[in-house]
Amino acid sequence: MDLAHKLLFTALLIFAATIDGTQAAAMVSGAVFCDQCKDGQRSLFDYPLSGMKVTITCADGTGQVTMSREETTNVFGNYVMRFDGTPDLSNCNAQVSGSGEGSNDCGATAGPSQKLRLMFRMFGMEIYGVDSLLSEPSQPMPFCPRSSNPVPAPIITPTRPPPPTFRLPPLPPLPPMPPLPFSEASACSHQYWTMPEYKCYWRVLNPETKVSLIFGPLAARRYGSDMTLWESLQGRGDPYKTLLREATTALLNSYNTLQFPYNSIGVVTRTNWALMGSTRGVLITALRFIRANSGSGRVTCKLTPCK
């Protein structure tokens, strides 16, 4: 980023800071995954769980519980909790405490609790992160790899000499692999996503899907339960409408290319953080999404008209 861009971005942050007064609060966010292989860690076989209950419990030096809060994960397996004021969360832990609609057969056993970690502190605002929480099925899935410590097979002494070995000819070289889908960097503004000729790129999301289903109860309280993703792309003239428009755009971009700066869970998480804060935070988050959706001056929109 050159000096002019740095000065412009700094000026925007200073301007945003004057919109609303500082409001002390602490926010905690994380995600719950199904540990399909019951190996106690995140792997490529795991997927996020919606409808899971997560409880944050804080204790004093003697182990006495001083505070407890429960929240349910959204459609992306993500949860966000807000604590007003400046509570001491240094001795708090988060753990899966119950299953819901999205757990399917993966709510048999809750994984270990995770300690809250302070990620950010500024203007009286504290943001805590939690390592991924796990919920396990009753048995590992059949496609999971075998244990890393299998029971050794019994050693059988051969009674006859082994057969002769043969050297096979070398295999021909493999053809070059095609490029990964969505691997090309692309960033498209909200105007592109409202054009009929690009509607086939709504691969994962449906234009008629409700905003409240994707972004959670905080968005439902702010924008209502009937607004669709398509309608959210029309928002303008208000910081909160601008935030939702750019968040929806960023979500579509994240599903269209692997090189977008934010993944889908990151878009939903940052939107909820902004909705729990002040107008200043809403504007700052919207500006960051606008910058990402415009390609930061380096990446263009790679959508081509649908056939």
Side-chain angles (χ1 to χ4, degrees):
M1 184 185 295
D2 57 28
L3 180 59
H5 282 88
K6 289 182 178 178
L7 292 176
L8 175 60
F9 189 70
T10 303
L12 288 172
L13 290 179
I14 295 174
F15 171 73
T18 63
I19 291 180
D20 199 2
T22 300
Q23 182 179 4
M27 288 180 290
V28 181
S29 67
V32 178
F33 289 84
C34 175
D35 183 12
Q36 294 197 93
C37 296
K38 294 177 67 71
D39 55 5
Q41 59 187 357
R42 282 280 310 279
S43 69
L44 58 86
F45 299 102
D46 302 340
Y47 62 89
L49 285 172
S50 62
M52 298 296 294
K53 296 181 193 274
V54 176
T55 300
I56 290 181
T57 305
C58 304
D60 57 20
T62 63
Q64 188 72 25
V65 175
T66 58
M67 180 170 52
S68 180
R69 183 80 60 84
E70 186 179 75
E71 187 57 81
T72 304
T73 59
N74 63 13
V75 68
F76 294 105
N78 183 59
Y79 63 91
V80 181
M81 299 189 198
R82 175 190 174 101
F83 298 82
D84 292 328
T86 55
D88 181 12
L89 303 182
S90 60
N91 199 30
C92 299
N93 292 274
Q95 187 170 27
V96 174
S97 55
S99 59
E101 298 176 357
S103 61
N104 295 325
D105 297 325
C106 203
T109 307
S113 63
Q114 299 290 349
K115 191 173 181 62
L116 274 59
R117 294 180 290 103
L118 180 64
M119 310 291 293
F120 176 84
R121 179 186 287 131
M122 182 178 288
F123 302 126
M125 180 74 70
E126 295 181 346
I127 296 178
Y128 289 82
V130 182
D131 290 340
S132 297
L133 297 176
L134 302 177
S135 184
E136 300 177 349
S138 56
Q139 296 293 331
M141 296 295 103
F143 51 76
C144 291
R146 295 183 178 181
S147 170
S148 58
N149 297 309
V151 177
I155 299 175
I156 301 176
T157 305
T159 58
R160 66 178 68 180
T165 58
F166 299 94
R167 184 182 298 274
L168 296 175
L171 295 174
L174 294 174
M177 294 293 290
L180 290 173
F182 322 129
S183 62
E184 186 178 20
S186 175
C188 303
S189 64
H190 68 276
Q191 291 93 339
Y192 282 94
W193 292 105
T194 56
M195 295 180 181
E197 57 265 38
Y198 301 127
K199 205 166 184 179
C200 63
Y201 287 93
W202 289 65
R203 297 185 177 95
V204 178
L205 301 175
N206 188 303
E208 299 304 316
T209 300
K210 304 299 183 185
V211 167
S212 58
L213 178 64
I214 299 301
F215 291 97
L218 286 175
R221 286 197 291 268
R222 168 61 63 175
Y223 304 106
S225 58
D226 295 327
M227 178 179 286
T228 65
L229 293 178
W230 184 264
E231 292 169 340
S232 72
L233 292 175
Q234 320 302 321
R236 54 178 51 85
D238 172 83
Y240 287 91
K241 292 180 180 178
T242 301
L243 170 67
L244 183 60
R245 182 192 71 207
E246 297 302 324
T248 301
T249 304
L251 196 59
L252 288 164
N253 282 321
S254 71
Y255 282 124
N256 188 58
T257 173
L258 297 174
Q259 297 192 38
F260 193 68
Y262 303 103
N263 59 31
S264 58
I265 294 179
V267 172
V268 174
T269 299
R270 285 167 173 78
T271 302
N272 276 274
W273 283 351
L275 291 175
M276 289 190 297
S278 63
T279 308
R280 177 198 68 222
V282 168
L283 181 58
I284 291 175
T285 303
L287 289 172
R288 288 172 176 165
F289 282 154
I290 289 174
R291 180 175 176 81
N293 293 330
S294 65
S296 303
R298 300 186 299 271
V299 178
T300 59
C301 183
K302 300 299 193 305
L303 301 184
T304 57
C306 305
K307 297 181 180 180

mmCIF file of all heavy atoms in Angstrom, residues 104-151:
data_model
loop_
_atom_site.group_PDB
_atom_site.id
_atom_site.type_symbol
_atom_site.label_atom_id
_atom_site.label_comp_id
_atom_site.label_asym_id
_atom_site.label_seq_id
_atom_site.Cartn_x
_atom_site.Cartn_y
_atom_site.Cartn_z
ATOM 1 N N ASN A 104 -27.329 -33.671 13.598
ATOM 2 C CA ASN A 104 -27.529 -34.988 12.984
ATOM 3 C C ASN A 104 -27.052 -36.079 13.933
ATOM 4 O O ASN A 104 -27.525 -36.177 15.049
ATOM 5 C CB ASN A 104 -26.817 -35.065 11.633
ATOM 6 C CG ASN A 104 -27.416 -34.096 10.634
ATOM 7 O OD1 ASN A 104 -28.615 -33.861 10.636
ATOM 8 N ND2 ASN A 104 -26.583 -33.527 9.796
ATOM 9 N N ASP A 105 -26.101 -36.903 13.508
ATOM 10 C CA ASP A 105 -25.600 -37.985 14.348
ATOM 11 C C ASP A 105 -24.263 -37.627 14.980
ATOM 12 O O ASP A 105 -23.525 -38.504 15.402
ATOM 13 C CB ASP A 105 -25.442 -39.260 13.515
ATOM 14 C CG ASP A 105 -26.776 -39.742 12.973
ATOM 15 O OD1 ASP A 105 -27.781 -39.585 13.688
ATOM 16 O OD2 ASP A 105 -26.805 -40.267 11.851
ATOM 17 N N CYS A 106 -23.959 -36.344 15.043
ATOM 18 C CA CYS A 106 -22.635 -35.941 15.529
ATOM 19 C C CYS A 106 -22.708 -35.274 16.890
ATOM 20 O O CYS A 106 -21.812 -34.514 17.245
ATOM 21 C CB CYS A 106 -21.976 -34.996 14.514
ATOM 22 S SG CYS A 106 -20.169 -34.964 14.659
ATOM 23 N N GLY A 107 -23.740 -35.528 17.648
ATOM 24 C CA GLY A 107 -23.850 -34.907 18.958
ATOM 25 C C GLY A 107 -23.759 -35.888 20.095
ATOM 26 O O GLY A 107 -24.211 -35.610 21.205
ATOM 27 N N ALA A 108 -23.180 -37.067 19.847
ATOM 28 C CA ALA A 108 -23.131 -38.096 20.893
ATOM 29 C C ALA A 108 -22.192 -37.708 22.028
ATOM 30 O O ALA A 108 -22.493 -37.937 23.197
ATOM 31 C CB ALA A 108 -22.706 -39.431 20.282
ATOM 32 N N THR A 109 -21.034 -37.147 21.687
ATOM 33 C CA THR A 109 -20.028 -36.821 22.700
ATOM 34 C C THR A 109 -19.457 -35.443 22.420
ATOM 35 O O THR A 109 -19.104 -35.131 21.281
ATOM 36 C CB THR A 109 -18.877 -37.852 22.690
ATOM 37 O OG1 THR A 109 -19.422 -39.165 22.805
ATOM 38 C CG2 THR A 109 -17.904 -37.589 23.831
ATOM 39 N N ALA A 110 -19.355 -34.629 23.467
ATOM 40 C CA ALA A 110 -18.752 -33.302 23.337
ATOM 41 C C ALA A 110 -17.241 -33.405 23.517
ATOM 42 O O ALA A 110 -16.752 -34.158 24.361
ATOM 43 C CB ALA A 110 -19.339 -32.348 24.361
ATOM 44 N N GLY A 111 -16.507 -32.653 22.702
ATOM 45 C CA GLY A 111 -15.062 -32.624 22.825
ATOM 46 C C GLY A 111 -14.608 -31.812 24.030
ATOM 47 O O GLY A 111 -15.427 -31.299 24.797
ATOM 48 N N PRO A 112 -13.299 -31.657 24.217
ATOM 49 C CA PRO A 112 -12.785 -30.935 25.384
ATOM 50 C C PRO A 112 -13.116 -29.443 25.306
ATOM 51 O O PRO A 112 -13.358 -28.897 24.231
ATOM 52 C CB PRO A 112 -11.273 -31.185 25.312
ATOM 53 C CG PRO A 112 -11.002 -31.443 23.861
ATOM 54 C CD PRO A 112 -12.213 -32.155 23.346
ATOM 55 N N SER A 113 -13.122 -28.794 26.458
ATOM 56 C CA SER A 113 -13.338 -27.347 26.503
ATOM 57 C C SER A 113 -12.091 -26.625 26.008
ATOM 58 O O SER A 113 -10.990 -27.186 25.987
ATOM 59 C CB SER A 113 -13.673 -26.908 27.934
ATOM 60 O OG SER A 113 -12.569 -27.186 28.805
ATOM 61 N N GLN A 114 -12.280 -25.368 25.599
ATOM 62 C CA GLN A 114 -11.178 -24.546 25.103
ATOM 63 C C GLN A 114 -11.157 -23.224 25.851
ATOM 64 O O GLN A 114 -12.205 -22.641 26.145
ATOM 65 C CB GLN A 114 -11.321 -24.287 23.596
ATOM 66 C CG GLN A 114 -11.296 -25.534 22.732
ATOM 67 C CD GLN A 114 -9.936 -26.191 22.680
ATOM 68 O OE1 GLN A 114 -8.937 -25.622 23.118
ATOM 69 N NE2 GLN A 114 -9.885 -27.413 22.145
ATOM 70 N N LYS A 115 -9.970 -22.739 26.141
ATOM 71 C CA LYS A 115 -9.801 -21.497 26.898
ATOM 72 C C LYS A 115 -9.969 -20.300 25.974
ATOM 73 O O LYS A 115 -9.568 -20.328 24.806
ATOM 74 C CB LYS A 115 -8.417 -21.471 27.555
ATOM 75 C CG LYS A 115 -8.229 -20.345 28.571
ATOM 76 C CD LYS A 115 -6.896 -20.513 29.288
ATOM 77 C CE LYS A 115 -6.693 -19.423 30.332
ATOM 78 N NZ LYS A 115 -7.717 -19.463 31.376
ATOM 79 N N LEU A 116 -10.572 -19.227 26.484
ATOM 80 C CA LEU A 116 -10.724 -17.999 25.715
ATOM 81 C C LEU A 116 -9.370 -17.311 25.573
ATOM 82 O O LEU A 116 -8.586 -17.242 26.533
ATOM 83 C CB LEU A 116 -11.711 -17.052 26.393
ATOM 84 C CG LEU A 116 -13.199 -17.244 26.072
ATOM 85 C CD1 LEU A 116 -13.671 -18.640 26.443
ATOM 86 C CD2 LEU A 116 -14.040 -16.197 26.780
ATOM 87 N N ARG A 117 -9.085 -16.774 24.370
ATOM 88 C CA ARG A 117 -7.820 -16.082 24.109
ATOM 89 C C ARG A 117 -8.105 -14.664 23.644
ATOM 90 O O ARG A 117 -8.886 -14.443 22.723
ATOM 91 C CB ARG A 117 -7.022 -16.828 23.034
ATOM 92 C CG ARG A 117 -6.557 -18.203 23.450
ATOM 93 C CD ARG A 117 -5.771 -18.909 22.351
ATOM 94 N NE ARG A 117 -6.625 -19.286 21.239
ATOM 95 C CZ ARG A 117 -6.683 -18.652 20.078
ATOM 96 N NH1 ARG A 117 -5.952 -17.565 19.861
ATOM 97 N NH2 ARG A 117 -7.479 -19.074 19.105
ATOM 98 N N LEU A 118 -7.472 -13.687 24.314
ATOM 99 C CA LEU A 118 -7.653 -12.283 23.926
ATOM 100 C C LEU A 118 -6.949 -12.037 22.601
ATOM 101 O O LEU A 118 -5.750 -12.244 22.455
ATOM 102 C CB LEU A 118 -7.080 -11.353 25.011
ATOM 103 C CG LEU A 118 -7.206 -9.849 24.732
ATOM 104 C CD1 LEU A 118 -8.672 -9.437 24.669
ATOM 105 C CD2 LEU A 118 -6.479 -9.053 25.813
ATOM 106 N N MET A 119 -7.705 -11.569 21.595
ATOM 107 C CA MET A 119 -7.171 -11.338 20.260
ATOM 108 C C MET A 119 -6.955 -9.858 19.954
ATOM 109 O O MET A 119 -6.081 -9.499 19.171
ATOM 110 C CB MET A 119 -8.137 -11.921 19.208
ATOM 111 C CG MET A 119 -8.555 -13.351 19.468
ATOM 112 S SD MET A 119 -7.209 -14.521 19.239
ATOM 113 C CE MET A 119 -6.938 -14.407 17.484
ATOM 114 N N PHE A 120 -7.789 -8.992 20.568
ATOM 115 C CA PHE A 120 -7.778 -7.577 20.174
ATOM 116 C C PHE A 120 -8.353 -6.749 21.310
ATOM 117 O O PHE A 120 -9.312 -7.152 21.965
ATOM 118 C CB PHE A 120 -8.631 -7.415 18.900
ATOM 119 C CG PHE A 120 -8.780 -5.996 18.433
ATOM 120 C CD1 PHE A 120 -7.810 -5.403 17.648
ATOM 121 C CD2 PHE A 120 -9.898 -5.254 18.766
ATOM 122 C CE1 PHE A 120 -7.951 -4.099 17.209
ATOM 123 C CE2 PHE A 120 -10.046 -3.954 18.333
ATOM 124 C CZ PHE A 120 -9.070 -3.372 17.545
ATOM 125 N N ARG A 121 -7.763 -5.572 21.556
ATOM 126 C CA ARG A 121 -8.283 -4.643 22.562
ATOM 127 C C ARG A 121 -8.035 -3.212 22.074
ATOM 128 O O ARG A 121 -6.911 -2.835 21.780
ATOM 129 C CB ARG A 121 -7.619 -4.861 23.915
ATOM 130 C CG ARG A 121 -8.117 -3.876 24.988
ATOM 131 C CD ARG A 121 -7.349 -4.004 26.280
ATOM 132 N NE ARG A 121 -7.684 -5.213 27.023
ATOM 133 C CZ ARG A 121 -6.801 -6.042 27.514
ATOM 134 N NH1 ARG A 121 -5.508 -5.820 27.315
ATOM 135 N NH2 ARG A 121 -7.175 -7.114 28.179
ATOM 136 N N MET A 122 -9.116 -2.437 21.972
ATOM 137 C CA MET A 122 -8.984 -1.038 21.537
ATOM 138 C C MET A 122 -10.293 -0.314 21.837
ATOM 139 O O MET A 122 -11.384 -0.857 21.667
ATOM 140 C CB MET A 122 -8.667 -0.965 20.038
ATOM 141 C CG MET A 122 -8.464 0.457 19.517
ATOM 142 S SD MET A 122 -8.036 0.507 17.757
ATOM 143 C CE MET A 122 -6.358 -0.133 17.825
ATOM 144 N N PHE A 123 -10.201 0.950 22.282
ATOM 145 C CA PHE A 123 -11.358 1.807 22.531
ATOM 146 C C PHE A 123 -12.371 1.147 23.464
ATOM 147 O O PHE A 123 -13.580 1.267 23.293
ATOM 148 C CB PHE A 123 -12.055 2.184 21.215
ATOM 149 C CG PHE A 123 -11.166 2.888 20.228
ATOM 150 C CD1 PHE A 123 -11.044 2.404 18.939
ATOM 151 C CD2 PHE A 123 -10.452 4.014 20.592
ATOM 152 C CE1 PHE A 123 -10.234 3.049 18.017
ATOM 153 C CE2 PHE A 123 -9.630 4.658 19.674
ATOM 154 C CZ PHE A 123 -9.520 4.180 18.387
ATOM 155 N N GLY A 124 -11.891 0.423 24.466
ATOM 156 C CA GLY A 124 -12.794 -0.244 25.390
ATOM 157 C C GLY A 124 -13.428 -1.504 24.849
ATOM 158 O O GLY A 124 -14.265 -2.112 25.506
ATOM 159 N N MET A 125 -13.066 -1.917 23.637
ATOM 160 C CA MET A 125 -13.612 -3.122 23.011
ATOM 161 C C MET A 125 -12.585 -4.248 23.085
ATOM 162 O O MET A 125 -11.429 -4.073 22.713
ATOM 163 C CB MET A 125 -13.969 -2.850 21.549
ATOM 164 C CG MET A 125 -14.539 -4.043 20.819
ATOM 165 S SD MET A 125 -16.227 -4.421 21.279
ATOM 166 C CE MET A 125 -17.071 -3.008 20.546
ATOM 167 N N GLU A 126 -13.003 -5.404 23.593
ATOM 168 C CA GLU A 126 -12.139 -6.581 23.663
ATOM 169 C C GLU A 126 -12.752 -7.696 22.817
ATOM 170 O O GLU A 126 -13.967 -7.921 22.871
ATOM 171 C CB GLU A 126 -11.977 -7.057 25.111
ATOM 172 C CG GLU A 126 -11.250 -6.063 26.006
ATOM 173 C CD GLU A 126 -11.100 -6.586 27.421
ATOM 174 O OE1 GLU A 126 -11.790 -7.570 27.754
ATOM 175 O OE2 GLU A 126 -10.308 -6.019 28.186
ATOM 176 N N ILE A 127 -11.940 -8.370 22.023
ATOM 177 C CA ILE A 127 -12.395 -9.473 21.185
ATOM 178 C C ILE A 127 -11.600 -10.720 21.551
ATOM 179 O O ILE A 127 -10.361 -10.701 21.533
ATOM 180 C CB ILE A 127 -12.231 -9.150 19.694
ATOM 181 C CG1 ILE A 127 -13.136 -7.971 19.311
ATOM 182 C CG2 ILE A 127 -12.563 -10.362 18.833
ATOM 183 C CD1 ILE A 127 -13.006 -7.539 17.874
ATOM 184 N N TYR A 128 -12.310 -11.773 21.917
ATOM 185 C CA TYR A 128 -11.699 -13.037 22.300
ATOM 186 C C TYR A 128 -11.991 -14.096 21.232
ATOM 187 O O TYR A 128 -13.073 -14.114 20.639
ATOM 188 C CB TYR A 128 -12.253 -13.531 23.645
ATOM 189 C CG TYR A 128 -11.795 -12.732 24.842
ATOM 190 C CD1 TYR A 128 -12.423 -11.545 25.185
ATOM 191 C CD2 TYR A 128 -10.731 -13.167 25.634
ATOM 192 C CE1 TYR A 128 -12.015 -10.811 26.289
ATOM 193 C CE2 TYR A 128 -10.321 -12.445 26.740
ATOM 194 C CZ TYR A 128 -10.958 -11.259 27.060
ATOM 195 O OH TYR A 128 -10.540 -10.545 28.144
ATOM 196 N N GLY A 129 -11.022 -14.942 20.998
ATOM 197 C CA GLY A 129 -11.189 -16.072 20.098
ATOM 198 C C GLY A 129 -11.118 -17.378 20.869
ATOM 199 O O GLY A 129 -10.539 -17.440 21.959
ATOM 200 N N VAL A 130 -11.731 -18.405 20.305
ATOM 201 C CA VAL A 130 -11.736 -19.736 20.917
ATOM 202 C C VAL A 130 -11.327 -20.746 19.854
ATOM 203 O O VAL A 130 -11.840 -20.705 18.726
ATOM 204 C CB VAL A 130 -13.130 -20.101 21.472
ATOM 205 C CG1 VAL A 130 -13.096 -21.467 22.154
ATOM 206 C CG2 VAL A 130 -13.621 -19.037 22.437
ATOM 207 N N ASP A 131 -10.382 -21.624 20.198
ATOM 208 C CA ASP A 131 -10.035 -22.698 19.266
ATOM 209 C C ASP A 131 -11.274 -23.536 18.958
ATOM 210 O O ASP A 131 -12.215 -23.592 19.749
ATOM 211 C CB ASP A 131 -8.939 -23.588 19.868
ATOM 212 C CG ASP A 131 -7.597 -22.867 19.938
ATOM 213 O OD1 ASP A 131 -7.423 -21.883 19.202
ATOM 214 O OD2 ASP A 131 -6.735 -23.289 20.735
ATOM 215 N N SER A 132 -11.269 -24.185 17.821
ATOM 216 C CA SER A 132 -12.440 -24.927 17.358
ATOM 217 C C SER A 132 -12.913 -25.936 18.411
ATOM 218 O O SER A 132 -12.123 -26.705 18.954
ATOM 219 C CB SER A 132 -12.110 -25.664 16.062
ATOM 220 O OG SER A 132 -11.785 -24.754 15.040
ATOM 221 N N LEU A 133 -14.220 -25.896 18.685
ATOM 222 C CA LEU A 133 -14.836 -26.885 19.561
ATOM 223 C C LEU A 133 -15.296 -28.082 18.725
ATOM 224 O O LEU A 133 -15.696 -27.914 17.568
ATOM 225 C CB LEU A 133 -16.028 -26.272 20.297
ATOM 226 C CG LEU A 133 -15.711 -25.108 21.238
ATOM 227 C CD1 LEU A 133 -16.991 -24.538 21.828
ATOM 228 C CD2 LEU A 133 -14.771 -25.541 22.354
ATOM 229 N N LEU A 134 -15.240 -29.259 19.323
ATOM 230 C CA LEU A 134 -15.553 -30.481 18.592
ATOM 231 C C LEU A 134 -16.718 -31.215 19.235
ATOM 232 O O LEU A 134 -16.885 -31.201 20.463
ATOM 233 C CB LEU A 134 -14.337 -31.412 18.540
ATOM 234 C CG LEU A 134 -13.066 -30.850 17.899
ATOM 235 C CD1 LEU A 134 -11.937 -31.858 18.001
ATOM 236 C CD2 LEU A 134 -13.318 -30.467 16.446
ATOM 237 N N SER A 135 -17.524 -31.831 18.387
ATOM 238 C CA SER A 135 -18.561 -32.753 18.827
ATOM 239 C C SER A 135 -18.394 -34.040 18.022
ATOM 240 O O SER A 135 -18.099 -33.985 16.822
ATOM 241 C CB SER A 135 -19.949 -32.150 18.598
ATOM 242 O OG SER A 135 -20.956 -33.008 19.103
ATOM 243 N N GLU A 136 -18.557 -35.180 18.667
ATOM 244 C CA GLU A 136 -18.208 -36.444 18.027
ATOM 245 C C GLU A 136 -19.420 -37.351 17.875
ATOM 246 O O GLU A 136 -20.328 -37.345 18.718
ATOM 247 C CB GLU A 136 -17.140 -37.175 18.851
ATOM 248 C CG GLU A 136 -15.847 -36.398 19.030
ATOM 249 C CD GLU A 136 -14.863 -37.138 19.917
ATOM 250 O OE1 GLU A 136 -15.281 -38.142 20.544
ATOM 251 O OE2 GLU A 136 -13.698 -36.725 19.982
ATOM 252 N N PRO A 137 -19.433 -38.170 16.815
ATOM 253 C CA PRO A 137 -20.456 -39.219 16.706
ATOM 254 C C PRO A 137 -20.141 -40.367 17.659
ATOM 255 O O PRO A 137 -19.069 -40.404 18.279
ATOM 256 C CB PRO A 137 -20.355 -39.652 15.241
ATOM 257 C CG PRO A 137 -18.915 -39.384 14.880
ATOM 258 C CD PRO A 137 -18.512 -38.164 15.656
ATOM 259 N N SER A 138 -21.052 -41.295 17.767
ATOM 260 C CA SER A 138 -20.806 -42.433 18.659
ATOM 261 C C SER A 138 -19.688 -43.334 18.138
ATOM 262 O O SER A 138 -18.931 -43.920 18.913
ATOM 263 C CB SER A 138 -22.094 -43.249 18.839
ATOM 264 O OG SER A 138 -22.587 -43.668 17.570
ATOM 265 N N GLN A 139 -19.549 -43.425 16.800
ATOM 266 C CA GLN A 139 -18.502 -44.244 16.198
ATOM 267 C C GLN A 139 -17.856 -43.466 15.055
ATOM 268 O O GLN A 139 -18.514 -42.661 14.404
ATOM 269 C CB GLN A 139 -19.074 -45.566 15.648
ATOM 270 C CG GLN A 139 -19.658 -46.487 16.708
ATOM 271 C CD GLN A 139 -18.576 -47.022 17.636
ATOM 272 O OE1 GLN A 139 -17.420 -47.180 17.239
ATOM 273 N NE2 GLN A 139 -18.960 -47.316 18.883
ATOM 274 N N PRO A 140 -16.544 -43.681 14.794
ATOM 275 C CA PRO A 140 -15.911 -43.009 13.656
ATOM 276 C C PRO A 140 -16.580 -43.420 12.344
ATOM 277 O O PRO A 140 -17.099 -44.519 12.214
ATOM 278 C CB PRO A 140 -14.454 -43.490 13.712
ATOM 279 C CG PRO A 140 -14.260 -44.018 15.090
ATOM 280 C CD PRO A 140 -15.589 -44.531 15.544
ATOM 281 N N MET A 141 -16.581 -42.510 11.391
ATOM 282 C CA MET A 141 -17.150 -42.808 10.085
ATOM 283 C C MET A 141 -16.318 -43.873 9.351
ATOM 284 O O MET A 141 -15.102 -43.969 9.556
ATOM 285 C CB MET A 141 -17.216 -41.537 9.242
ATOM 286 C CG MET A 141 -18.131 -40.463 9.799
ATOM 287 S SD MET A 141 -19.879 -40.955 9.824
ATOM 288 C CE MET A 141 -20.111 -41.338 11.563
ATOM 289 N N PRO A 142 -16.935 -44.677 8.489
ATOM 290 C CA PRO A 142 -16.201 -45.764 7.816
ATOM 291 C C PRO A 142 -15.054 -45.277 6.940
ATOM 292 O O PRO A 142 -14.086 -46.015 6.728
ATOM 293 C CB PRO A 142 -17.285 -46.458 6.975
ATOM 294 C CG PRO A 142 -18.585 -46.068 7.602
ATOM 295 C CD PRO A 142 -18.369 -44.717 8.189
ATOM 296 N N PHE A 143 -15.155 -44.046 6.410
ATOM 297 C CA PHE A 143 -14.119 -43.572 5.497
ATOM 298 C C PHE A 143 -12.900 -43.012 6.219
ATOM 299 O O PHE A 143 -11.940 -42.591 5.579
ATOM 300 C CB PHE A 143 -14.694 -42.490 4.567
ATOM 301 C CG PHE A 143 -15.416 -41.391 5.302
ATOM 302 C CD1 PHE A 143 -14.728 -40.403 5.994
ATOM 303 C CD2 PHE A 143 -16.797 -41.355 5.301
ATOM 304 C CE1 PHE A 143 -15.392 -39.412 6.668
ATOM 305 C CE2 PHE A 143 -17.478 -40.353 5.967
ATOM 306 C CZ PHE A 143 -16.773 -39.377 6.655
ATOM 307 N N CYS A 144 -12.916 -42.958 7.545
ATOM 308 C CA CYS A 144 -11.802 -42.385 8.294
ATOM 309 C C CYS A 144 -10.581 -43.297 8.213
ATOM 310 O O CYS A 144 -10.701 -44.529 8.161
ATOM 311 C CB CYS A 144 -12.198 -42.184 9.753
ATOM 312 S SG CYS A 144 -13.430 -40.893 9.998
ATOM 313 N N PRO A 145 -9.381 -42.702 8.217
ATOM 314 C CA PRO A 145 -8.167 -43.527 8.224
ATOM 315 C C PRO A 145 -8.049 -44.309 9.522
ATOM 316 O O PRO A 145 -8.599 -43.923 10.554
ATOM 317 C CB PRO A 145 -7.036 -42.501 8.085
ATOM 318 C CG PRO A 145 -7.614 -41.218 8.563
ATOM 319 C CD PRO A 145 -9.070 -41.254 8.196
ATOM 320 N N ARG A 146 -7.308 -45.398 9.468
ATOM 321 C CA ARG A 146 -7.126 -46.220 10.656
ATOM 322 C C ARG A 146 -6.278 -45.494 11.691
ATOM 323 O O ARG A 146 -5.588 -44.546 11.393
ATOM 324 C CB ARG A 146 -6.473 -47.560 10.293
ATOM 325 C CG ARG A 146 -7.352 -48.438 9.408
ATOM 326 C CD ARG A 146 -6.698 -49.781 9.150
ATOM 327 N NE ARG A 146 -7.562 -50.647 8.346
ATOM 328 C CZ ARG A 146 -7.233 -51.870 7.992
ATOM 329 N NH1 ARG A 146 -6.048 -52.367 8.359
ATOM 330 N NH2 ARG A 146 -8.056 -52.600 7.268
ATOM 331 N N SER A 147 -6.341 -45.983 12.902
ATOM 332 C CA SER A 147 -5.597 -45.365 13.990
ATOM 333 C C SER A 147 -4.115 -45.307 13.666
ATOM 334 O O SER A 147 -3.557 -46.195 13.021
ATOM 335 C CB SER A 147 -5.823 -46.151 15.286
ATOM 336 O OG SER A 147 -4.949 -45.721 16.302
ATOM 337 N N SER A 148 -3.484 -44.230 14.153
ATOM 338 C CA SER A 148 -2.039 -44.101 13.939
ATOM 339 C C SER A 148 -1.240 -45.101 14.758
ATOM 340 O O SER A 148 -0.049 -45.287 14.539
ATOM 341 C CB SER A 148 -1.601 -42.672 14.301
ATOM 342 O OG SER A 148 -1.932 -42.392 15.644
ATOM 343 N N ASN A 149 -1.896 -45.780 15.746
ATOM 344 C CA ASN A 149 -1.226 -46.796 16.567
ATOM 345 C C ASN A 149 -2.006 -48.107 16.487
ATOM 346 O O ASN A 149 -2.614 -48.554 17.461
ATOM 347 C CB ASN A 149 -1.128 -46.332 18.029
ATOM 348 C CG ASN A 149 -0.278 -45.093 18.166
ATOM 349 O OD1 ASN A 149 0.836 -45.040 17.669
ATOM 350 N ND2 ASN A 149 -0.821 -44.075 18.842
ATOM 351 N N PRO A 150 -2.032 -48.757 15.324
ATOM 352 C CA PRO A 150 -2.815 -49.992 15.212
ATOM 353 C C PRO A 150 -2.184 -51.133 16.003
ATOM 354 O O PRO A 150 -0.995 -51.126 16.315
ATOM 355 C CB PRO A 150 -2.779 -50.276 13.700
ATOM 356 C CG PRO A 150 -1.497 -49.647 13.243
ATOM 357 C CD PRO A 150 -1.303 -48.432 14.104
ATOM 358 N N VAL A 151 -3.026 -52.112 16.314
ATOM 359 C CA VAL A 151 -2.515 -53.298 17.005
ATOM 360 C C VAL A 151 -1.639 -54.072 16.024
ATOM 361 O O VAL A 151 -2.053 -54.371 14.899
ATOM 362 C CB VAL A 151 -3.677 -54.178 17.489
ATOM 363 C CG1 VAL A 151 -3.152 -55.446 18.132
ATOM 364 C CG2 VAL A 151 -4.560 -53.396 18.445
#
